[in-house]
Every structure is written in C-alpha cells, then in structure tokens.
Amino acid sequence: MAKTGPQRYPGASTTYWYGSAYPGSAMEANVIVWHSTEGTSLPSYGGGASAPNFTAKPDFAAKRLVWYQHYDFDVSSRALVNKAGGVQTNTLNACQVEIVGTCDPATHAKWTKAGYQHLYTPELPTWAIRDLAAFAKWASANHGVPLSSGVTFKAYPGSYGANGVRMTGTQWTAFKGHCGHQHVPENDHGDPGSMPIAAILAAAKNGTTAPQEDDMPTAAELAKAVLTLDGVISVPGAPATNPTWTLSSVQTEILKRLDKANAVLAAQSAAIAKLATLAGEDVDTAAVVAAVQQAIADAVIKVDVDVNTKES
C-alpha cells in the first residue's frame, strides 16, 4: 500500500530512527493509538524492537513537548502485541504515539513524593494538551485521521486487562480516530489511563494549538542558557514556528542586567568614597547625607550615559 502525505512531523527529531533496523509495513494510517511510557526519560525501546512511530517527551522548563520520530507516519511500528491468528494490530493502519510519563496513580504519588518532575496523563498541563492537540490537528489535516474518539479512556489500574472498553477484533478493524493502548484487542496494557482525549481533540478542532510566547527568562535561566548554548536557545526538535531566544537577544538581555548591576555598584562605591572624604570633618549629619546622595546621583548618571552610548 502506498504512503500518501507528509511522513515527517515538523520539528520532530529523527535521532532515534528505527525504520532501518526494523522495517515496517506501508499503510494509510487512520488511527492514532496513544501510550504512556511509565518512565521519565526517553525509552530505548530495545533498540527499536518495541518502538512506536513517535515519542513525546516533556520539557518542563520550556513548557512544551519535544517530539522524536522513529518511523514514517504511514509505516507500522512495534508498540503493540500482535498474537498469532485473530486481527492485525501494529500493521492495521495504526500510528502510535508514546507520551513520556505515567498513567498509574501509585507511580504518580511515588514520583511526586520523590520530587521527580513528570507527566501524569490524567492531569496533563495545558501546554501538554496544546502540543498533543497540535499533533492531532496535523494528523487530521495531512492524513485524514478523524478528530474523534468514541471510546472511553478508563483510569488505571481499572483500564488493565479485560477492562470493558477493549475492542473486539471486528470493532478494531472498523475503528478510525483516537484510542489508547487499553482499547486494542490482543493486548492487556491499560495505558494511557484516563487521558483527557476530549480536551485534546477539542483544542485541535478549535485551533487552540499555537505555541505560547515564552516569558522573559530570569537571570538564572539566562546563565544556564549561555552555559549550554548551542546556536539558538530553544527546545531540541521544537517546530520552527515556536518562538526562541537567539544568541543576540540573550546577550542583549544579559548586558542590560549587567548595566543595572554596574549602576548599583557605582552608587555604592561613590557613597563609600564620599564618606571617606568626610571622615573627621566637622560637618553635620544633614550635610553628610546630602553629599552622599549627590555622589550617588552623579555615579548613576555616568553609568546611564555610558549605557546609552554603547546601545546607540
């Protein structure tokens, strides 16, 4: 079966590409199967033996998902069990997406107590919903995957095994749209739990998938960005449409903040110097205060003049 439409999701990294080691079957994907990795880092997937088409990994500092693509959109991946006999799973027009995080409330509680930042699929932050919706919208526009579900995403662990929402072979064969690992026949996994699929699809339909503008970075964030600088301050694999901090803008902001710090230091130095010249003189308190205030004002004016000269 021939593949149609763009096969690479814009901005997705192909660093971990498994299509060469484990060639899949060409298909016309009309289903998105959502998974959760039950971990906090990008899985190795056994070198690709159990890899999906895509992995969405959270970048909490940037409040966005970083996308990794392992197979073409219209090529079967390997994250589902496919038993002998029965229906096909991985190869039945299913594009699969793993979300790095957990659907298990017990794991969520343990990681929270330990201080591990993570995605908990039943309680996804708005930025994660936004980016998952952007993917769903792209899949719909370019591959005709319906922005619909029609299945119930049950909470884990009730979603495991014979959960009452797992499709029969006939239902699976006829299904189009968005479902979870918990819905696929011949499988027993319960991920991604009670993922807010309705909110994700609503955002995709309503067009509320545009990246949010980054807030002005703090001094600590700027320092970290410079120390880890790689051309442009951005998220690896981020879409080109996302706003980023270029090197020049980071340098400008750092210089502004350094200039402010220099003004404070200059004022302090001027005050100390003036106090030293007045030491031992027979002057009253008011005169000392006035003299120090004038010295501070002169110092700040000088710094402002220097700054404006540099920026013009």
Side-chain angles (χ1 to χ4, degrees), residues 16-38:
Y16 302 98
W17 185 261
Y18 301 122
S20 300
Y22 294 94
S25 300
M27 59 185 183
E28 288 288 348
N30 53 25
V31 173
I32 303 295
V33 179
W34 298 96
H35 303 253
S36 54
T37 64
E38 301 307 307

Side-chain angles (χ1 to χ4, degrees), residues 55-122:
T55 303
K57 183 177 181 293
D59 183 330
F60 292 100
K63 294 184 178 180
R64 57 169 57 100
L65 295 176
V66 180
W67 290 85
Y68 294 87
Q69 186 164 358
H70 314 296
Y71 291 91
D72 279 347
F73 186 90
D74 283 328
V75 169
S76 62
S77 55
R78 307 174 62 86
L80 295 170
V81 170
N82 188 19
K83 297 180 180 179
V87 297
Q88 297 301 311
T89 57
N90 291 306
T91 59
L92 194 62
N93 300 342
C95 175
Q96 302 182 56
V97 182
E98 291 269 7
I99 301 170
V100 176
T102 183
C103 68
D104 185 349
T107 301
H108 171 53
K110 180 176 68 176
W111 288 352
T112 300
K113 184 176 181 180
Y116 299 149
Q117 277 191 308
H118 63 278
L119 288 182
Y120 179 45
T121 53

Side-chain angles (χ1 to χ4, degrees), residues 204-251:
K205 293 175 183 177
N206 296 332
T208 55
T209 61
Q212 299 170 350
E213 288 190 8
D214 291 337
D215 293 331
M216 178 71 72
T218 64
E221 289 170 340
L222 286 169
K224 181 179 179 181
V226 171
L227 291 174
T228 59
L229 184 63
D230 184 20
V232 174
I233 311 305
S234 63
V235 180
T241 55
N242 284 359
T244 56
W245 281 92
T246 63
L247 175 58
S248 60
S249 62
V250 170
Q251 290 175 328

